[in-house]
Amino acid sequence: MYAQLCRSPFLEGRWNFEWFGAGSPGLFAARILFERSPATLANLLALDMLIKDGNANVTANLNFFNSIDSKFLLRAKLSVEGPTRLKEEYVEGLLETPTVSEQAIPEQLKAAFGQATGALQQLPASVRDAFANGVTVPLSGTFQRLFMISYLDEEILITRDSMGAADVLTRLDPAPGQIAADSVITEYES
């Protein structure tokens, strides 16, 4: 009966974190890193979550030194624990290979960047290939949390963890039911 909550058309979709509490270990670490670092050193550009088929993928878009972009992906499995309570079990984390904007690198550092790039090319192919697809950290059985859905509609999702810390999310894509309703053509009245 409760299993349908994880597959609700209101819950499934892409959500943007407007505010996040300290309940999630990954979000807690992100908050500490980015609140205590100057924006020129480290900047959290966006944090969103895709919920689909009982799984949640949280994506953090990161920028370092105003020239290095990377993404951190946190994959989790959702299971229903009650009418409005879910359990989130972290499956794995993936740090994608950073991309560097050479135009954003200050002239004083371009020579050092060229040397670092050359040194990376000297690594054995097996090591380069391992990092080319990013670094995956298995998390199965390591972290989990329970949370309650406090509010859910077509545009807003508010959750609270067991300590009461709230996460506030807004929908980035239209809800499946909203797409169907928006595509209905009504008669023209003059």
Side-chain angles (χ1 to χ4, degrees):
M1 170 167 110
Y2 298 135
Q4 293 182 357
L5 176 65
C6 280
R7 289 178 176 76
S8 166
F10 286 113
L11 186 60
E12 287 195 341
R14 186 167 297 280
W15 297 90
N16 181 56
F17 281 88
E18 300 293 337
W19 172 259
F20 51 88
S24 166
L27 298 177
F28 178 70
R31 173 177 274 160
I32 288 174
L33 173 66
F34 294 107
E35 283 181 354
R36 297 182 184 190
S37 300
T40 55
L41 179 62
N43 196 2
L44 177 62
L45 302 175
L47 184 65
D48 64 68
M49 176 171 55
L50 174 65
I51 299 174
K52 182 85 172 139
D53 297 328
N55 295 298
N57 293 328
V58 178
T59 303
N61 293 301
L62 313 169
N63 180 273
F64 301 97
F65 307 111
N66 288 331
S67 58
I68 302 171
D69 292 323
S70 187
K71 287 184 182 180
F72 180 75
L73 216 66
L74 183 62
R75 294 189 176 121
K77 180 173 176 36
L78 300 175
S79 56
V80 177
E81 296 284 313
T84 60
R85 190 168 82 171
L86 296 170
K87 180 167 65 171
E88 182 178 45
E89 297 176 84
Y90 302 112
V91 176
E92 69 180 5
L94 170 67
L95 180 61
E96 289 187 356
T97 303
T99 57
V100 179
S101 170
E102 292 186 40
Q103 294 82 4
I105 297 175
E107 285 298 321
Q108 311 89 298
L109 299 177
K110 285 192 178 186
F113 175 72
Q115 290 175 348
T117 303
L120 290 175
Q121 295 302 321
Q122 300 300 319
L123 292 172
S126 59
V127 174
R128 281 195 320 261
D129 292 344
F131 287 101
N133 296 323
V135 177
T136 301
V137 179
L139 299 172
S140 294
T142 308
F143 298 108
Q144 65 182 14
R145 73 177 184 136
L146 295 173
F147 65 91
M148 303 278 287
I149 295 178
S150 297
Y151 183 82
L152 174 62
D153 69 15
E154 295 169 345
E155 297 176 10
I156 297 173
L157 168 61
I158 300 174
T159 66
R160 293 193 180 276
D161 66 12
S162 58
M163 301 300 289
D167 294 335
V168 179
L169 299 93
T170 54
R171 187 174 293 281
L172 288 172
D173 56 3
Q178 191 176 359
I179 294 170
D182 291 346
S183 63
V184 173
I185 300 173
T186 57
E187 292 184 29
Y188 176 75
E189 293 182 28
S190 58

